[in-house]
Amino acid sequence: MPDSGGGGPALRDRAAAVLHENDAGGWTRAAPRLYPHQWSWDSAFIAIGWAHLDAGRALTELEGLFAAQWPTGMVPHIVFRAGPDHPYFPGPEWWDVSAVVPSLPAATTGICQPPVHALAVRRIWQLTPADARPAIRARIQALYPRLVAWHRYLATERDPEASGLVTTYHPWEGTDNSPRWDRALARIQAPDPGPYTRLDESELGDPSQRPTNWDYDRYLTLVELLRKYRYDDGLIYQHYPFLIKDVFFSAVLVAANAALLDLADVAGASDSDRETLAGWLDRGRAGLAARFDARSGLCADYDVRAKEDIRLRTFATFAPLFARTADAGQRDVQLQLLDSADFCGHPGLHWRLLPSTSPAEPAFESRTYWRGPVWPVINWLLTEALTALGATDRAAQMRRESLAQIAGNGDFAEYYEPFTGEHLGSQHQSWTAAVTLDWLSAAS
Ligand code: 9WN
């Protein structure tokens, strides 16, 4: 009997139904109403879910996303595919990307999200049945150079210092209102994006869970500045106010470079690509090691403009674990910290899962988006990393509790209140369903 985390085979069926329901024909809405377009890192997780149902469909998800890859190699954070019947704010007019990149098949934003995609391709390949392998291999071979170009963009344009750490330009590059960005946002001069109407608050019905208007004023001001600099990474680096060396994003890139190396034979990668990927992998690990403090066990982001460390206890603290650190000292200190009272060992937690922000942080808010709630995809990345690091019992526990959390109600919520387990945010969130499918299969 599969260990279904309390949901039985029915949970698998319900998770599959969410992907089918959100399938817009070759691409999948991140959520039915709140996020009606194709999001970059959502698509990668979604492809992992599809891989359990249909490897070809899984690859189609990523091929569609990479069709909107920019000439720089950047994979945009949203591809606006849904059409006018599905409004989302801010829409393509705020980004005005066609003025800069006219050749794209669809409108996109001008920023990006963590590069989970190579992890997805590796999972697709692992799950491809023998008879489908020749066709899937050919498609992976075609996609692989685009993945390398994506990683090259991150390793060069987003790391002109060659530090091994990716510079992010916007809170929307992954974890919107994480307290990690508070000080950098507070420094933005005279934020005034002009009048705008948000749709997310009315859509969700509980504005207190979402970023505030103070946040949105700054998010939109940053979009205006990016547009002003025509998304030119060189100009952005010279003039733009929000540049963060993001250790979580960087850790995902390390794991993704390892995944591309694992796929090198399948994809027939050249020696030169293999060498380049291995170089980025080493540099990424060294970059994270330089941000790690052995005494506290914390790995800290760095604000390039303010030249200051961002020392907060959030899920990103565990960047060395997410990157599957090869350093046993780092691993042991971080594993201890993970189960300390500041994180999963906090006595008030409903499940022993990693919250987005430590309950011990003054900025912690238990119901507000990235300021406290538990996000299944983050815990999925962690269970993968723990398994790779040999902490298989802890990974299995995290998987079981994650499944139990999700199974408590059939809605596949976006995020969860850490003390009560309450389901929050959007319902029928595609990536929650996707990681459920993956966890269920690992439990069988
Ligand atoms: C802005 C789609 C996306 C996720 C992000 C999450 C949230 C969007 C929003 O939803 O961001 O991109 O409107 O809040 O923060 O990680 O990719 O699920």
Side-chain angles (χ1 to χ4, degrees), residues 101-265:
V101 201
S103 57
L104 297 176
T108 73
T109 61
I111 55 173
C112 59
Q113 289 185 317
V116 182
H117 315 87
L119 304 186
V121 177
R122 184 174 58 190
R123 183 63 102 237
I124 293 169
W125 180 248
Q126 286 165 347
L127 292 171
T128 300
D131 61 340
R133 287 202 152 201
I136 294 291
R137 179 197 290 265
R139 289 169 66 184
I140 290 178
Q141 283 174 347
L143 189 59
Y144 197 83
R146 286 183 171 267
L147 286 155
V148 175
W150 165 219
H151 290 197
R152 176 169 286 113
Y153 167 75
L154 295 172
T156 57
E157 300 292 340
R158 291 300 189 103
D159 187 19
E161 309 88 346
S163 67
L165 298 167
V166 178
T167 306
T168 51
Y169 296 164
H170 200 289
W172 282 331
E173 296 206 310
T175 60
D176 309 23
N177 69 343
S178 172
R180 297 157 73 200
W181 325 132
D182 287 358
R183 281 172 63 87
L185 287 177
R187 270 193 291 268
I188 292 173
Q189 304 280 319
D192 179 17
Y196 60 89
T197 308
R198 292 175 62 173
L199 300 176
D200 56 323
E201 295 176 313
S202 49
E203 185 55 59
L204 198 64
D206 178 6
S208 72
Q209 287 181 34
R210 294 285 306 178
T212 61
N213 286 339
W214 183 93
D215 294 315
Y216 260 73
D217 281 354
R218 283 154 186 82
Y219 299 166
L220 294 167
T221 298
L222 289 176
V223 170
E224 287 192 348
L225 288 171
L226 289 167
R227 211 170 60 212
K228 173 172 155 196
Y229 299 128
R230 299 178 66 77
Y231 307 101
D232 177 313
D233 295 285
L235 287 179
I236 290 167
Y237 238 81
Q238 275 173 42
H239 304 294
Y240 181 76
F242 187 97
L243 298 175
I244 310 283
K245 289 290 180 191
D246 176 334
V247 291
F248 170 70
F249 201 124
S250 306
V252 175
L253 181 59
V254 169
N257 278 323
L260 281 193
L261 281 169
D262 287 348
L263 286 165
D265 288 344

Side-chain angles (χ1 to χ4, degrees), residues 52-72:
H52 289 275
L53 308 173
D54 175 349
R57 175 63 186 83
L59 217 40
T60 303
E61 189 76 29
L62 295 172
E63 288 162 348
L65 178 73
F66 276 79
Q69 185 172 28
W70 285 26
T72 56

